[in-house]
Amino acid sequence: MTDAITVLGARLRFGETAALESVSVSIPQGACFGIVGESGSGKTTLMRAMLGLQRLDAGEIRILGTPLQQGRAALRQRARVVQPIFQDPAASLSPRSRIRTLMNEVGTVLKEPHAATHERLLVILKRLGLPDSVIDKYPHEISGGQARRVAIARALLVKPSILIADEPTAGLDVSVQGDLLNLLQDIRRAENITLVVISHNLAVVRLIAENAIVMRAGRVVEGGEVGPLFASPRQSYTRELFAAWPSLASNNKGR
Amino acid sequence: MAISLRDLSVDYNLPIGTAHALRNVSLDIQKGEMLGLVGESGSGKSTVAFALMGLLANNATVTSGTAIIEGREFDLTKPNATAPLRGRGMAMIFQDPMLSLNPVFTIGTQLIEVLRRRAPDSDRKTRIAQAEDALAKVKLSNPKQRMNQYPHELSGGMRQRVVIAMALLSEPALLIADEPTTALDVTVEAQIMREIIGLRDRIGCAVLLITHSLGLVTEHCDRISVLYAGERLESGSVRDVQRQPGHPYTRMLFDCEIPIDRERHADTAQNRFTVIAGELPDPRRRPPGCIFNGRCDVSFADCAKVVPGDYPVAGNAAHGARCLRLVTP
Ligand SMILES: Nc1ncnc2c1ncn2[C@@H]1O[C@H](COP(=O)(O)OP(=O)(O)OP(=O)(O)O)[C@@H](O)[C@H]1O
Ligand SMILES: Nc1ncnc2c1ncn2[C@@H]1O[C@H](COP(=O)(O)OP(=O)(O)O)[C@@H](O)[C@H]1O
Ligand code: SF4
Ligand SMILES: [Mg+2]
Ligand SMILES: [Mg+2]
C-alpha cells in the first residue's frame, strides 16, 4: 500500500540553523506515527513541510503517493486530506470571530448543510468535554486547555484521512487528555485515519504509536517500532530523553 | 513570611448570565516553599494567578478576596490592588514566554528595565553586569552575546530562561509560574524546573506552580491544592495527599496519570486511557450539594443536598478535603 506520507532527504536551513538535515520518513496508512525530540529539534518544521506550508531547500514529500504541489488551489485541496492541529491553539483560532463562525466555515468547505455540521460538532464537543456554550465565545474568553480542544474539534470536523497533531495533549489535565486520546483511538479505528503525533509526552507516544522517530538538531537520530525503540533505545540521546520523564515519585518533603 | 490568599471569588460576565469562575478559594504558601495548584482544564487556576497579578480580563469582577504578601494586606476587589507589587513583590512566568517579553526590545534592554524599576539609583554599568550575571545563573550560554539578541532569535526553552532571569532580578516575594514548561520537552522541562527551584532557594521566595503534570508536583512541590470548577477541594502536603487522598476527585486524578512503564498492548488501538466520566458543571449555575456530585464514584444521598465543609483528613489539621465521606461513618 502507498504510504500516507513519504519524506525523502528533506533539508532546510534557517540561516545558520539546520532545521532539517537529510530527513527521510515513511508513514504507513492507517497507523499512528510518533515524532519525539527536544524543543528546537525540527519537529514543527517537519510538520509544516508535510503540510506544504514550508518550502524545502532539498528533498521531496509525497502525500498518498502524490508529490506536494505549491499554490493556493493545491493547498485547499490538500486540506480535505491532511488536517493539522497546531502547537499553538491560538494560532488556529481567529481572535475576532466567535468559535461558531470558525466551525461554520468547515461546513462551507465540505459543502455540507450547517445543521449537519452543527450536529456532528455537538458530538465531538461532548467527547472532548467541552460545553456547547463555547460555540458562542471568543477565543480569549476560554481557558488554554479549552482553546486547544476547540482547535482539535475543528480539525476533526473536516473528517481528514491524515491528521497531524503537534503537541495535542500539552496543557490538558490528565482526565481530559485521556478523553482526547480515547477519542483519537476511536476515530482512527472507525474511519481508518492516519495519525501523526508530535509530542514530548513519551508515555503517551509509547502507548498510541506503532512507529516513531526521535529527532535532534534537525536529524532523525533513531526510529522504528515503538516497542523495541522505547524498551531498549540504541542512542544515548534517546535514553537521556526517557530518563528525564517525571514519574509519580514518592515525595519526601513536607511533614 | 507566608503568602496568604483568602476567599478569592471571581465572576466573568457573559452575554447570557454570569460565570462564577472561583468561589472562596484560599491558599497559603510559606516562604521558600512551592505549592502545586492542579485541577481540570477550565477549573480556574489561571484566574487565581491573574487575579493576584491584577491581569484579569475586562469582563472579570473580583467579588471577594484579600492577599497578604510580605505582611501587607491587599483588598483584591479594588482595581489595581496589587499594582505596588508588580515587578517587585510578585513576578509571573507564563506558559508562553512571549507574554512576558517584548518582541521589539533586546533581552538586555528588558533585563535592565527590570533593574531600573527596582533600583532607580544604580548606574548603567552595574545593571549590565547584574543582567549578564542573571543570564549566567539561569545557565543561558554566552550571556554577553544574548544581551544584544531579540526574543525571536532564541528557542522556547531559552526564552523561558530569560523570563526566569527577569524574575530573579526583580527578587519577588511570590513567584507565580503558570504551566511554565508545557511548551517544552522533558529534558528542557527538567532544566527549567531546576532554575525555578534555584531562584526560589537563592531569594527565598514562595512559589505557586500551576501545572497539569502530577509528576512535576510530586517531584518538586511541598504542598498541593486541588481546584475543581472554581472550588478548592483538597489541600495538604504532597506526601499526605498522595498517600491518602481525602477527596475522590484527587484520587481519580492520580489514577488518570499514565506511567511510562504501563503495560503496552501490541495493537496500540487497544491501549485505552483512564478518564473521569462526566463534565464540569455549568459555571453559571452551581448545583446544590457537593460540586463533584454526578462524577463521583462513591456519592450517596446527602451529596445532592449538603454542601461539604473543609474537613481534616485522618485527623491531620494540615490536610483538608471537602467531602462528606470524611464525616460520615
Ligand atoms: N474573559 C473571560 N470571559 C469569560 N469566561 C472566561 C474568561 N476567561 C476565562 N473564562 C472561563 O473561566 C473558567 C476558568 O478559566 P481559567 O483560564 O482560569 O482556567 P484554567 O484552570 O487555567 O484552565 P487551563 O488548565 O485550561 O489553562 C473557564 O471556564 C473559562 O472558560
Ligand atoms: N521561521 C523561522 N525562522 C528562523 N528559524 C526558525 C524558524 N522556524 C524554526 N526555526 C528554527 O528551526 C529549528 C527547529 O524548530 P522547530 O521545528 O520549531 O522545532 P521543534 O518543533 O522540534 O521544537 C529551531 O532552531 C528554530 O529556532
Ligand atoms: S461529598 Fe459525596 S459526591 Fe462529593 S466527593 Fe464526597 S462522596 Fe463524592
Ligand atoms: Mg514545536
Ligand atoms: Mg490556564
Side-chain angles (χ1 to χ4, degrees):
Chain A
M1 195 165 38
T2 9
D3 282 335
I5 303 177
T6 318
V7 179
L8 286 170
R11 200 187 66 195
L12 179 71
R13 292 184 165 274
F14 293 111
E16 300 274 273
T17 319
L20 297 175
E21 192 62 63
S22 351
V23 172
S24 294
V25 187
S26 341
I27 302 178
Q29 275 188 58
C32 177
F33 193 89
I35 302 178
V36 303
E38 65 189 349
S39 65
S41 61
K43 307 182 296 293
T44 301
T45 305
L46 180 60
M47 168 184 184
R48 290 177 53 81
M50 288 172 175
L51 292 163
L53 299 174
Q54 178 70 65
R55 263 177 206 276
L56 297 173
D57 294 340
E60 193 188 8
I61 292 180
R62 291 193 216 121
I63 305 290
L64 296 168
T66 317
L68 272 188
Q69 307 276 321
Q70 296 294 332
R72 290 191 69 84
L75 197 69
R76 214 171 313 130
Q77 208 176 14
R78 205 158 45 234
R80 304 279 300 271
V81 180
V82 194
Q83 270 294 309
I85 297 172
F86 287 110
Q87 184 164 14
D88 174 11
S92 31
L93 309 176
S94 153
R96 263 188 278 277
S97 32
R98 292 187 202 273
I99 312 288
R100 176 188 296 280
T101 317
L102 181 84
M103 299 297 180
N104 282 341
E105 280 167 9
V106 175
T108 310
V109 171
L110 294 179
K111 299 196 176 62
E112 181 184 49
H114 281 179
T117 315
H118 188 72
E119 205 161 296
R120 288 196 298 116
L121 176 62
L122 292 185
V123 176
I124 296 172
L125 292 181
K126 202 170 183 62
R127 277 306 298 270
L128 290 173
L130 286 171
D132 298 353
S133 58
V134 292
I135 299 178
D136 290 308
K137 287 193 171 183
Y138 287 97
H140 71 265
E141 293 175 340
I142 55 181
S143 78
Q146 289 164 338
R148 183 167 293 278
R149 281 176 283 165
V150 165
I152 292 169
R154 186 184 173 283
L156 293 177
L157 204 55
V158 183
K159 297 192 277 188
S161 57
I162 304 171
L163 195 62
I164 310 183
D166 197 356
E167 304 287 1
T169 60
L172 299 182
D173 62 274
V174 280
S175 170
V176 169
Q177 167 184 296
D179 254 325
L180 167 66
L181 293 170
N182 288 339
L183 174 66
L184 288 176
Q185 298 279 50
D186 290 347
I187 55 167
R188 216 185 119 187
R189 212 189 294 208
E191 304 180 23
N192 199 31
I193 283 183
T194 307
L195 192 62
V196 182
V197 175
I198 301 175
S199 180
H200 59 250
N201 192 330
L202 300 167
V204 166
V205 171
R206 179 176 162 271
L207 291 174
I208 66 169
E210 277 92 25
N211 297 289
I213 52 169
V214 181
M215 291 188 70
R216 181 182 207 183
R219 292 176 181 273
V220 176
V221 292
E222 179 159 19
E225 271 180 57
V226 163
L229 178 66
F230 277 56
S232 48
R234 275 168 289 142
Q235 299 293 323
S236 62
Y237 172 67
T238 313
R239 282 196 289 272
E240 251 171 62
L241 209 57
F242 293 171
W245 187 250
S247 58
L248 282 186
S250 47
N251 180 286
N252 298 315
K253 296 179 200 156
R255 282 143 289 265
Chain B
M1 191 172 300
I3 304 287
S4 168
L5 174 66
R6 296 264 76 86
D7 290 321
L8 177 64
S9 304
V10 176
D11 287 351
Y12 286 112
N13 296 311
L14 303 177
I16 323 158
T18 304
H20 305 290
L22 294 175
R23 280 181 233 95
N24 299 309
V25 170
S26 299
L27 304 172
D28 288 284
I29 318 174
Q30 303 300 319
K31 221 178 147 172
E33 269 194 4
M34 190 175 318
L35 171 76
L37 183 60
V38 302
E40 187 148 340
S41 159
S43 59
K45 305 178 297 296
S46 297
T47 305
V48 169
F50 289 148
L52 276 167
M53 292 294 290
L55 296 173
L56 284 171
N58 290 332
N59 63 335
T61 318
V62 179
T63 57
S64 71
T66 35
I68 302 166
I69 297 167
E70 295 203 294
R72 288 158 72 194
E73 199 169 309
F74 300 90
D75 178 355
L76 297 174
T77 63
K78 300 242 164 69
N80 283 320
T82 56
L85 287 175
R86 240 173 288 153
R88 181 85 174 84
M90 271 192 303
M92 181 152 171
I93 304 173
F94 299 90
Q95 173 179 341
D96 178 358
M98 286 313 284
L99 285 175
S100 317
L101 297 172
N102 191 325
V104 303
F105 292 120
T106 61
I107 305 301
T109 309
Q110 302 189 49
L111 290 172
I112 287 166
E113 173 60 22
V114 173
L115 287 167
R116 201 186 54 76
R117 248 180 293 156
R118 219 196 73 212
D121 299 328
S122 67
D123 68 286
R124 193 174 156 76
K125 261 216 186 86
T126 318
R127 288 187 202 144
I128 291 176
Q130 282 175 329
E132 284 177 7
D133 183 48
L135 291 178
K137 279 194 182 120
V138 299
K139 310 227 172 46
L140 204 63
S141 54
N142 308 320
K144 270 202 171 34
Q145 180 202 333
R146 302 287 173 211
M147 292 283 284
N148 299 315
Q149 286 186 310
Y150 289 89
H152 74 263
E153 295 176 58
L154 306 182
S155 75
M158 286 151 91
R159 284 180 204 152
Q160 205 59 297
R161 282 171 202 262
V162 173
V163 176
I164 296 173
M166 279 168 78
L168 189 63
L169 290 176
S170 72
E171 292 188 15
L174 172 63
L175 175 70
I176 303 173
D178 189 356
E179 301 191 41
T181 60
T182 299
L184 309 170
D185 67 85
V186 282
T187 46
V188 184
E189 173 175 87
Q191 293 160 9
I192 293 292
M193 285 310 300
R194 267 199 294 279
E195 300 318 333
I196 292 177
I197 288 163
L199 182 153
R200 177 197 66 187
D201 295 343
R202 207 169 266 134
I203 57 188
C205 62
V207 182
L208 175 61
L209 176 72
I210 297 176
T211 179
H212 285 299
S213 166
L214 295 170
L216 280 188
V217 171
T218 55
E219 213 157 280
H220 300 294
C221 291
D222 305 285
R223 297 179 65 80
I224 178 173
S225 281
V226 183
L227 212 57
Y228 178 80
E231 296 182 14
R232 195 194 74 189
L233 293 188
E234 179 153 10
S235 73
S237 78
V238 169
R239 196 170 56 166
D240 290 345
V241 172
Q242 201 184 354
R243 195 182 290 162
Q244 186 182 359
H247 202 283
Y249 176 61
T250 314
R251 165 174 50 79
M252 291 161 97
L253 206 57
F254 273 94
D255 285 346
C256 288
E257 189 77 1
I258 310 162
I260 188 85
D261 54 358
R262 201 187 101 173
E263 198 191 330
R264 178 177 182 271
H265 228 282
D267 173 6
T268 55
Q270 305 258 350
N271 290 319
R272 305 299 289 183
F273 298 87
T274 313
V275 303
I276 303 172
E279 289 151 46
L280 279 173
D282 185 340
R284 286 171 295 192
R285 276 178 307 255
R286 189 198 185 288
C290 169
I291 189 105
F292 193 55
N293 189 23
R295 301 182 81 176
C296 181
D297 56 359
V298 291
S299 64
F300 57 105
D302 276 359
C303 303
K305 293 174 292 204
V306 184
V307 177
D310 195 6
Y311 312 114
V313 179
N316 177 354
H319 178 191
R322 306 178 79 93
C323 171
L324 295 171
R325 286 268 172 209
L326 294 170
V327 284
T328 314

